[in-house]
């Protein structure tokens, strides 16, 4: 339709709604803070300074980007096939556990074998956890929204068990628990041969994982837009019936997409563990799951858009602690702002009516399967 | 298999199961069978009481889902509406601690229901007026509720007192059954009554017929002069209120305090209960009871320590049962035909 528009014009168009959505969410966030007696100016200054005000701020922002990119990419890839993957949190955890398992075992392997093996294990853990809802959907019609959420809880309990320190009444400790940690439930550190090397060491702590992640982004972009599989994934997402008539193996594509999505989230878990934490303890998991959804939508489900959205989320995360410290505003307000961003991005009609924009023909709406019935 | 036949078979199966449960419960709790740990775990009064307590928020959540989806709006935001309701109930309870307990609790319930309604209205507005994908809109409700409640939660606040059991005279004296069914706090009774009310309303009133028409064939409903979107707004708001009540139950009747993320997936499990119950109020009650019973079983197994399995695996039980139930039944139940789709009148399209 807009074939003659130059790439720059197209890029500007694609960025317009997300940027306006961000501005509106920040403004509304400020209003909310005012209503509840917080100082938004101080809060946002702290946020900005914490994220970009110093070398360490930048380093934290970039470090936090890595898992956000991959979980966002996981959700975005599933969206492409019309699947709603709320299970990134569980897939992330399974990836973490698998990576840690390889990372703390196999003493004596050289780095160039041990590290890739540990990363692959993370990928595999996530793939496994993504395959289950995919298979359930095509064989029984169970909707992935419910199965992935339930699997999140199962994964969280499973992960908790693997590092369980055992109870005071002599319950058996989990298989990955570090006996030297005493009553604390955590794994030992992964061996140095399985750790991602630093680009900038402490105190900056930026590791090579971020470069790896960017390579994965390009790979996924290539897969989605330059290969037959990617074409099939996108066709299934846009029109299930038509893709069936066109001879696409719909069920296989759905399972494959869920495996891919799960693998991406699992790799996120692996990279985060091998790069930053170097071990697993249940309190590390955080809220990566729902963040992935917002990032995917804010990035308009495009791999490169996801990177930009993840930059924003990395900054929000990195600046949140500083904001709370400087201004006393609870960092939880950031989650409210994120929900607002999501609302404005997912309903461009609101943004357009406020800024009196004309409808641009290129807005691609993410399509989500919106009924509980099976894949048809 | 037709919808009706599936419904009949599953009704009969659940009737048989329910009768079996009652017989076993009476036997175990009145005879020497109570010496058997396993039987006590499965059928003891404490297990059944726990099951009913766990069922209430699930069935209210499922009724919320039925209200919305029967009119054509998918509501995966039940979890968030519940959480918001729980929080509002808590805040108002804390603010009115000095009032007489009953008044204060009622105020809490009212607040929970109201805020649930507001969340429902927001969901309806986003998905009808702004044509947002309903699943994404529901997700926004969930994140918004989680963020707001964490941001505003004052960890030092304490709610004083909660609803206590109100035995129903006469009935509560029935052995076993009376203890389990007729000796409960008020919101439990209310939830059970609401199941009946919604069933009658959906299938025996004009409102119900019109609601179902909006969910099945909005174009036809529109043709005969029903304002489809008005029904959807109304039902989604009512559904939000129902989910808010579930949250109110958690804070004001079950736990007595608010905890961050205290809904712990109940909103999602109630969605599964709605599906499993074939979008019928009594079906939802049966499914919720099944899920509630699994939660009770999990609890009793942990307490009794009869199985040598790590507690983490026992705790997986409710979630795994939910997956199995949804997987086994989705293909055989049928959601309202028009749900999830924006309805545009001829003139606006």
């Amino acid at each position: 339709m807009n074939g003659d528009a130059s790439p720059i014009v197209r890029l500007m168009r694609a960025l317009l709604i997300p940027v306006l959505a961000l501005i509106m969410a920040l403004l509304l966030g400020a209003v909310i803070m005012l209503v509840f007696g917080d100082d938004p100016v101080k809060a946002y200054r702290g946020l900005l300074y914490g994220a970009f005000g110093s070398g360490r701020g930048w380093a934290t922002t970039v470090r936090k980007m890595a898992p956000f990119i991959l979980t966002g990419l996981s959700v975005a890839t599933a969206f492409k096939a019309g699947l709603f993957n709320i299970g990134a949190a569980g897939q992330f955890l399974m990836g973490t556990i698998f990576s840690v398992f390889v990372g703390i075992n196999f003493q004596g392997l050289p780095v160039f074998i041990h590290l890739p093996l540990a990363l692959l294990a993370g990928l595999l853990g996530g793939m496994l956890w993504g395959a289950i809802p995919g298979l359930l959907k095509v064989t029984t019609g169970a909707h992935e929204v419910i199965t992935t959420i339930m699997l999140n809880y199962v994964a969280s309990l499973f992960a908790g068990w693997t590092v369980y320190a055992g109870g005071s009444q002599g319950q058996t400790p989990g298989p990955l628990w570090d006996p030297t940690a005493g009553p604390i439930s955590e794994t030992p550190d992964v061996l140095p041969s399985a750790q991602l090397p630093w680009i900038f060491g402490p105190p900056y702590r930026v590791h090579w994982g971020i470069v790896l992640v960017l390579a994965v982004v390009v790979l996924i972009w290539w897969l989605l837009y330059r290969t037959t599989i990617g074409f099939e994934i996108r066709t299934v997402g846009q029109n299930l019936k038509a893709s069936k008539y066109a001879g696409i193996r719909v069920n296989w594509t759905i399972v494959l997409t869920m495996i891919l999505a799960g693998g991406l989230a699992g790799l996120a878990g692996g990279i985060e563990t091998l790069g930053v934490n170097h071990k697993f303890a249940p309190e590390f998991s955080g809220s990566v799951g729902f963040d992935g959804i917002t990032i995917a939508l804010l990035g308009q489900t495009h791999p490169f858009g996801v990177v930009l959205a993840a930059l924003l989320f990395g900054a929000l995360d990195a600046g949140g602690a500083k904001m709370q410290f400087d201004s006393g505003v609870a960092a939880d307000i950031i989650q409210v702002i994120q929900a607002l961003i999501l609302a404005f991005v997912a309903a461009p009609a609101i943004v357009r009516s406020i800024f009196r924009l004309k409808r641009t023909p290129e807005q691609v709406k993410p399509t989500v399967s919106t009924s509980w019935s099976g894949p048809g | 298999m037709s919808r009706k036949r599936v419904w009949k078979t599953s009704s009969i199966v659940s009737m048989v199961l329910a009768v079996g449960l009652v017989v076993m419960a009476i036997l175990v709790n009145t005879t020497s069978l109570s010496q058997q740990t396993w039987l006590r775990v499965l059928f003891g009064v404490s297990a059944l009481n726990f099951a009913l307590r766990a069922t209430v928020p699930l069935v209210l959540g499922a009724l919320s889902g039925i209200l919305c989806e029967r009119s054509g709006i998918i509501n995966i935001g039940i979890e968030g509406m519940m959480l918001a309701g729980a929080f509002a109930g808590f805040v108002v309870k804390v603010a009115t601690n000095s009032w007489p307990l009953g008044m204060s609790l009622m105020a809490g319930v009212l607040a929970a229901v109201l805020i649930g309604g507001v969340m429902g209205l927001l969901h309806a507005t986003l998905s009808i007026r702004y044509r947002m994908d309903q699943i994404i809109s529901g997700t926004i409700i969930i994140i918004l509720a989680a963020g707001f409640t964490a941001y505003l939660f004052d960890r030092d606040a304490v709610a004083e007192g909660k609803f206590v059991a109100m035995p129903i005279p006469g009935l509560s004296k029935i052995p076993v059954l009376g203890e389990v069914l007729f000796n409960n706090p008020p919101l439990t009774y209310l939830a059970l009554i609401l199941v009946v009310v919604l069933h009658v309303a959906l299938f025996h009133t004009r409102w119900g017929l019109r609601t179902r028409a909006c969910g099945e064939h909005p174009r036809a409903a529109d043709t005969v002069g029903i304002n489809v979107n008005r029904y959807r707004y109304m039902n989604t708001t009512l559904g939000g209120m129902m989910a808010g009540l579930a949250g109110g139950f958690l804070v004001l009747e079950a736990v007595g305090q608010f905890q961050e993320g205290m809904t712990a997936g109940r909103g999602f499990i109630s969605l599964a209960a709605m599906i499993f119950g074939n979008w019928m109020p009594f079906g939802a009650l049966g499914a919720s009871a099944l899920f509630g019973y699994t939660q009770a079983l999990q609890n009793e197994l942990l307490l009794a320590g009869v199985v040598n399995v790590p507690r983490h695996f026992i705790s997986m039980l409710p979630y795994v049962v939910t997956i199995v139930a949804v997987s086994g039944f989705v293909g055989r139940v049928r959601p309202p035909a028009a749900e999830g789709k924006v309805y545009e009148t001829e003139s606006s399209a």
Side-chain angles (χ1 to χ4, degrees), chain B residues 38-63:
Chain B
W38 262 104
L39 288 176
R40 226 175 35 240
V41 163
L42 287 171
F43 303 109
V45 168
S46 94
L48 299 180
N49 266 326
F50 190 109
L52 184 59
R53 267 203 310 284
T55 301
V56 171
L58 298 182
V59 76
L60 286 173
L63 293 185

Side-chain angles (χ1 to χ4, degrees), chain A residues 36 38 84 136 140-141 146 149-150 153 157-158 161 164 332 335-336 339 342-343 346-347 350 365 368-370 372, chain B residues 69 74 76 130-133 135 139-140 144 147-148 150-151 264-265 268 279 310-313 323 327 330 339:
Chain A
F36 292 105
D38 283 327
F84 195 17
L136 284 175
T140 70
I146 287 180
I149 288 168
M150 293 301 129
Y153 291 101
L157 286 163
F158 177 78
W161 166 71
Y164 181 46
D332 303 298
Q335 208 182 351
V336 176
L342 179 54
I350 305 178
K365 258 182 83 177
V368 181
S369 50
T370 45
W372 301 115
Chain B
E69 302 209 353
I74 291 181
I76 74 158
Y130 293 108
R131 291 160 201 206
M132 194 186 286
D133 188 297
I135 290 198
T139 309
I140 290 171
L144 208 56
F148 256 116
Y151 171 57
F268 298 116
W279 286 264
R311 64 179 171 88
H312 302 88
F313 288 96
I323 294 176
S327 307
V330 160
E339 73 172 11

Side-chain angles (χ1 to χ4, degrees), chain A residues 15-102:
Chain A
L15 286 178
L16 186 63
I17 294 288
V19 168
L20 291 178
L22 172 64
I23 293 170
M24 283 177 52
L26 287 173
L27 283 177
L28 201 53
V31 172
I32 291 166
M33 280 190 256
L34 279 176
V35 168
F36 292 105
D38 283 327
D39 181 352
V41 178
K42 250 189 187 167
Y44 285 149
R45 198 191 293 143
L47 189 66
L48 201 63
Y49 186 78
F52 300 117
S54 64
R56 276 175 72 173
W58 270 100
T60 313
T61 300
V62 170
R63 180 174 68 242
K64 302 241 175 196
M65 270 176 78
F68 283 143
I69 292 177
L70 285 180
T71 45
L73 205 55
S74 163
V75 180
T77 307
F79 271 143
K80 287 286 180 217
L83 299 163
F84 195 17
N85 179 23
I86 311 194
Q91 295 144 10
F92 182 95
L93 268 176
M94 292 312 272
T96 306
I97 294 300
F98 274 53
S99 279
V100 166
F101 172 75
V102 173

